Amino acid sequence: MEGPLDGIRVLDLATLFAGPMAAMLLGDFGADVIKVEHPLKPDPSRGHGPGGLWWKMLARNKRAITLDLSTREGQDLLLRLAAGTDVVIENFRPGTLERWNLSYDRLTTANPGLVLARVTGFGQFGPYAHRPGFGTLAEAMSGFAAMTGEPDGPPTLPPFGLADGICALATAYAVLTALRARDVSGVGQVIDMSLVEPILTVLGAQPTVYDMLGVVPPRTGNRSVNNAPRNTYRCADGTWVAVSTSAQSVAERVMRLVGRLDLARRPWFATGAGRAEHAAELDAAVAAWVGARTRDEVLEAFDKAEAAVAPICDIRDVMTDPQLTALDAVTTVTDPDLGPMRMQNVMFRLSATPGRIDWPGRPHGSDTDAVLTALGLTPADLDSLRAKKVI
């Protein structure tokens, strides 16, 4: 079965992590993604993390070729590839493509419908545009770190590429938006995507609240300034659960379950903000009840009470959780060298045109000959390019 993005070709020139993940998301639903790496300096994600296994996930469904884009021959080949391509994703510092004579104007001379997604730390212009950008910097600059952590602790960064992941989703969305616009106009365009703006967006109405009320969000640990009880609680067997009471009815069910309806009858309990002001008292009641029971007992009781709870899962729990197993959220893919391996499945399910993982990340340059031969290059041409280290 063809994917919904079948017929869309993407050139992935990007590295670590937002750009390549955006290309991965497009490839999951049928786009033909060609990963372009330097012939002598492979993508850093090949060696990232334990055993370099990040590459297997990040480069799934991609064909792998090599091109040295700093050479005239490499630039000419990229232009030939771009002529038959719908989307180019890059994350070089602003001005790099132009320095290589691969500006958007030149890329579109042979393909006016090309969409160029440019992913950088801070955007293509402004006083920080020239700076190297990583997700950590976006997490710091967006306001995320300032509001994350315990009240008496330091600003806290996530232990994974949160800003990169959010930016990848935003970039994939931007690409599909630009392709839809091209369907109408026949003309492509440039996407200027910074790492900092998507994570700023998902932080909610903070800019508006500050603008209108002057409120700066404090660090509250696992508590919320909007409702309570909302926290993590330790069970009798040493495991943890998370409880959320964003809805008033759920908050009442939780207090009924833990035997503290007296708190639910207090006037301040009638609003989320009122409950948040009394979070310590509510937390103490929930913690005492949870702490006297095992996690399984807590989950079962909350389920019967129709109150919102979830186990705090480490990756071992994720791999065996019955709900995630039913969704096939972590699926099995066969690697030619390593055999069966498990990784996150495609992010969502489409009823008529589902996505799929055809293969994990491939060896460096494994598809170079096939891709360039399709452009009309001969074996002698490929030998010459290899001798010059262009491929």
Side-chain angles (χ1 to χ4, degrees):
M1 182 183 297
E2 294 181 352
L5 300 183
D6 186 72
I8 299 295
R9 172 172 283 186
V10 179
L11 292 182
D12 175 10
L13 313 184
T15 59
L16 299 176
F17 283 105
M21 186 173 289
M24 180 202 83
L25 295 170
L26 298 170
D28 283 350
F29 286 89
D32 174 21
V33 181
I34 299 175
K35 174 68 181 180
V36 180
E37 300 175 80
H38 192 280
L40 302 180
K41 294 177 284 187
D43 189 297
S45 63
R46 287 185 178 273
H48 188 81
L53 292 173
W54 268 75
W55 172 259
K56 293 297 184 180
M57 187 269 289
L58 199 62
R60 69 193 192 192
N61 292 335
K62 300 180 184 180
R63 295 193 283 165
I65 72 168
T66 58
L67 279 181
D68 184 348
L69 299 180
S70 68
T71 65
R72 181 184 59 78
E73 295 96 331
Q75 295 157 15
D76 289 344
L77 286 170
L78 187 78
L79 287 170
R80 291 173 66 178
L81 284 169
T85 290
D86 300 279
V87 182
V88 173
I89 300 176
E90 62 98 353
N91 70 337
F92 305 111
R93 290 199 203 184
T96 300
L97 282 187
E98 289 74 12
R99 189 171 68 250
W100 290 339
N101 199 23
L102 291 170
S103 67
Y104 184 67
D105 287 343
R106 190 176 185 212
L107 288 171
T108 54
T109 54
N111 183 2
L114 183 70
V115 171
L116 174 62
R118 314 194 76 170
V119 183
T120 57
F122 308 106
Q124 294 293 314
F125 58 91
Y128 301 167
H130 67 284
R131 296 181 180 179
F134 297 99
T136 296
L137 308 186
E139 289 146 10
M141 187 173 158
S142 64
F144 171 85
M147 64 178 297
T148 303
E150 295 298 326
D152 57 350
T156 301
L157 297 165
F160 66 99
L162 177 63
D164 284 279
I166 296 171
C167 184
L169 289 164
T171 301
Y173 165 59
V175 165
L176 295 178
T177 302
L179 290 175
R180 173 58 181 150
R182 189 190 67 177
D183 290 343
V184 176
S185 68
V187 179
Q189 59 186 298
V190 177
I191 298 165
D192 180 1
M193 178 67 70
S194 74
L195 284 170
V196 69
E197 289 169 288
I199 188 171
L200 174 61
T201 297
V202 303
L203 288 180
Q206 286 187 32
T208 307
V209 172
Y210 175 75
D211 179 57
M212 301 301 294
L213 303 175
V215 174
V216 177
R219 288 191 288 281
T220 60
N222 291 322
R223 288 176 175 169
S224 168
V225 297
N226 299 310
N227 62 79
R230 190 264 199 181
N231 214 322
T232 60
Y233 306 94
R234 186 181 177 93
C235 303
D237 54 6
T239 58
W240 293 79
V241 296
V243 172
S244 177
T245 58
S246 296
Q248 182 72 23
S249 59
V250 173
E252 292 171 1
R253 290 174 201 153
V254 169
M255 302 320 295
R256 180 180 295 108
L257 175 65
V258 303
R260 294 301 307 271
L261 273 177
D262 59 305
L263 295 176
R265 296 189 180 104
R266 305 283 177 85
W268 49 259
F269 195 89
T271 66
R275 298 198 309 273
E277 292 177 358
H278 294 79
E281 191 173 358
L282 295 170
D283 273 344
V286 176
W289 187 90
V290 169
R293 292 159 176 82
T294 67
R295 184 169 72 177
D296 287 346
E297 291 171 339
V298 170
L299 296 176
E300 182 180 1
F302 266 74
D303 188 37
K304 288 181 179 178
E306 298 184 359
V309 70
I312 302 293
C313 296
D314 63 21
I315 192 58
R316 295 167 296 184
D317 301 317
V318 168
M319 302 294 263
T320 58
D321 182 88
Q323 178 61 32
L324 296 177
T325 299
L327 296 175
D328 197 28
V330 178
T331 195
T332 300
V333 181
T334 300
D335 182 80
D337 300 317
L338 302 178
M341 61 172 53
R342 300 182 72 189
M343 66 176 63
Q344 298 97 318
N345 206 342
V346 299
M347 194 173 291
F348 51 87
R349 286 162 292 283
L350 297 181
S351 62
T353 54
R356 65 177 185 265
I357 303 170
D358 289 325
W359 61 81
R362 292 167 64 75
H364 185 231
S366 57
D367 300 290
T368 301
D369 288 7
V371 171
L372 297 186
T373 298
L375 291 179
L377 275 69
T378 67
D381 294 330
L382 297 174
D383 290 342
S384 175
L385 290 169
R386 282 200 172 87
K388 297 176 183 177
K389 297 183 171 55
V390 175
I391 63 173

